[in-house]
Amino acid sequence: MRTLVLREMHEAMHSRWLIAIAVVFALLSLSVSYLSFSGADALGFAAFNRTVASLLNRVRLCVPLMGLVTGALGLAGEREDGALGYILSQPVSRAAVYFSKFLGQGLCLSLAIALGLGLAGLVVGWNAGLDEAGSYGVLAGDALLLGVASLGIGLFVGTFAGGRMKALTSALLVWVWVAFLADLALVGLAVGAHATPATLFWVSLANPVQVAKTLCMLALSAKLETLGPSGLYAVRTFDVGGAAALLCGALSAWALVPIATGWLVFRRQNVR
């Protein structure tokens, strides 16, 4: 198992997609931390809370893309090359092969996220102090959870995809939905169907990106202008701690359920 995990880490670190998106994410994190200045008359490094609010949109775009593409291509690519069939012909179990992909790719993805946010956090902390560092830590943990959830969905997609192109296309379509279209669907539900805040909150749990956004916003301010009606409903119903626990559980489920479902499919697949 250890050998398989190390192999997956090696493969993930040589993925051009992961490297490219990770570099873009790191550069965006640094640029946002610099441009989120606290005063309107000068550029400089802002305090953590302002940086968190600015970085959140970049996290909800880049992190799911990294996780979905990495997970989908990891399994589908080896199936297309015939490497997966060769590995399964060795004296290793299917479970070890499948779950080592999740562990190895998850470690590399976490490293990429930690480097991007860690570098920006060090720069901001050096220039603005650590008074509000707690909210930045919440953003980092939130990004890691979102990354693992996206990886789980990506691996699930890769289980069904026959080759790289199909896996990549499917992963990008899922990303467009969770990053853009799902928000529009919520707006349409609120405006067109006059949905209540309670309905909007429970429906939003069906989108891991929205869950991560609400969870991070809780660390900034539990107010209407920050959380919106659905987030405020969660705070008033479950309190801040209860809402945070519920959202963390929802993100964890977005990782575990696709992984478990993908395994049920993979264990019965005929791989050559």
Side-chain angles (χ1 to χ4, degrees):
M1 183 74 172
R2 179 184 176 184
T3 302
L4 290 173
V5 171
L6 292 176
R7 175 185 175 275
E8 290 303 323
M9 292 181 66
H10 179 269
E11 293 294 325
M13 282 196 238
H14 286 79
S15 169
R16 289 175 293 178
W17 273 93
L18 179 60
I19 293 173
I21 303 172
V23 170
V24 170
F25 178 61
L27 293 176
L28 284 175
S29 300
L30 278 174
S31 62
V32 166
S33 66
Y34 185 75
L35 294 175
S36 299
F37 53 93
S38 55
D41 57 347
L43 283 175
F45 288 92
F48 277 108
N49 274 355
R50 183 180 292 273
T51 305
V52 167
S54 301
L55 274 176
L56 181 57
N57 284 330
R58 279 73 182 175
V59 166
R60 61 196 294 264
L61 290 178
C62 293
V63 170
L65 184 59
M66 282 193 287
L68 286 166
V69 171
T70 301
L73 290 180
L75 197 59
E78 289 190 348
R79 181 185 288 112
E80 184 178 32
D81 294 339
L84 185 59
Y86 173 77
I87 294 172
L88 291 175
S89 68
Q90 305 302 311
V92 294
S93 66
R94 282 204 173 206
V97 173
Y98 183 82
F99 290 105
S100 66
K101 286 190 173 295
F102 179 68
L103 291 175
Q105 293 172 356
L107 288 172
C108 287
L109 180 62
S110 299
L111 179 60
I113 295 171
L115 285 176
L117 291 179
L119 186 58
L122 287 174
V123 173
V124 176
W126 180 266
N127 288 271
L130 301 176
D131 293 338
E132 300 171 343
S135 60
Y136 196 85
V138 172
L139 173 67
D142 191 44
L144 290 174
L145 275 176
L146 180 58
V148 172
S150 302
L151 180 64
I153 299 171
L155 192 56
F156 173 76
V157 170
T159 304
F160 292 92
R164 285 188 177 87
M165 187 55 64
K166 187 176 181 180
L168 179 59
T169 302
S170 301
L172 291 177
L173 287 175
V174 173
W175 175 70
V176 169
W177 169 254
V178 298
F180 301 103
L181 299 183
D183 280 350
L184 294 178
L186 272 181
V187 173
L189 186 63
V191 176
H194 304 288
T196 64
T199 300
L200 292 175
F201 172 72
W202 292 110
V203 171
S204 70
L205 296 183
N207 181 7
V209 174
Q210 186 64 36
V211 174
K213 177 184 175 182
T214 305
L215 180 59
C216 189
M217 286 299 184
L218 282 176
L220 295 179
S221 176
K223 297 180 180 179
L224 175 62
E225 61 269 20
T226 303
L227 294 174
S230 61
L232 191 60
Y233 160 80
V235 171
R236 289 177 174 175
T237 305
F238 305 104
D239 296 325
V240 174
L246 176 61
L247 293 169
C248 286
L251 267 184
S252 300
W254 269 111
L256 296 176
V257 172
I259 283 293
T261 307
W263 161 242
L264 292 177
V265 175
F266 180 74
R267 65 185 296 187
R268 293 178 173 85
Q269 280 184 331
N270 182 20
V271 180
R272 297 178 181 179

